[in-house]
Amino acid sequence: MRVTAAFEPAIVCRNLEPMLAFYRDVLGMSVFSIDTIGAAQAGLARLSSGGYTIARLETDRGDRLKLVAPQQQPQSQATYGLVLQRHGYAYLTYIVPDVRSVHAALTQAGAEIL
């Protein structure tokens, strides 16, 4: 297999705007597209029975991330006390040159630091 673009994980979110603001304004990712996909196309792709909005973001090093907000709200995932006590995607890691400044920006943006 030949990979032609950076790996693109997706986060399904209930409210796109605050997630977009966080990744764009706090972490400094660039938005390279925001698209709305209709229910018919979403159904053909077996992604959703309703439509969705998808925002694609990219870091200055080419790392990519998709934020996906379905028109029909996603079901809540069971919550556990610790990240590694659940299956599936658990977290994303970003390597930054100054973790203290990122920590300050996250706190200022209202993020809960665990």
Side-chain angles (χ1 to χ4, degrees), residues 30-109:
S30 299
V31 176
F32 64 89
S33 72
I34 299 177
D35 297 301
T36 300
I37 309 302
Q41 190 175 356
L44 285 173
R46 308 287 298 161
L47 292 174
S48 174
S49 58
Y52 61 92
T53 301
I54 183 168
R56 292 177 180 87
L57 299 101
E58 186 172 48
T59 68
D60 58 352
R61 295 183 53 101
D63 302 304
R64 293 184 175 185
L65 176 68
K66 293 183 277 199
L67 300 175
V68 184
Q71 289 174 352
Q72 296 173 339
Q73 290 295 311
Q75 296 176 356
S76 294
Q77 182 178 1
T79 57
Y80 301 96
L82 300 172
V83 172
L84 299 181
Q85 289 182 321
R86 60 181 179 250
H87 63 86
Y89 293 109
Y91 57 88
L92 298 171
T93 300
Y94 291 91
I95 308 301
V96 297
D98 182 6
V99 71
R100 286 185 174 88
S101 67
V102 172
H103 184 275
L106 292 170
T107 302
Q108 184 177 7

Side-chain angles (χ1 to χ4, degrees), residues 20-32:
L20 188 58
F22 172 75
Y23 284 96
R24 181 191 58 221
D25 303 338
V26 177
L27 293 183
M29 296 183 81
S30 299
V31 176
F32 64 89

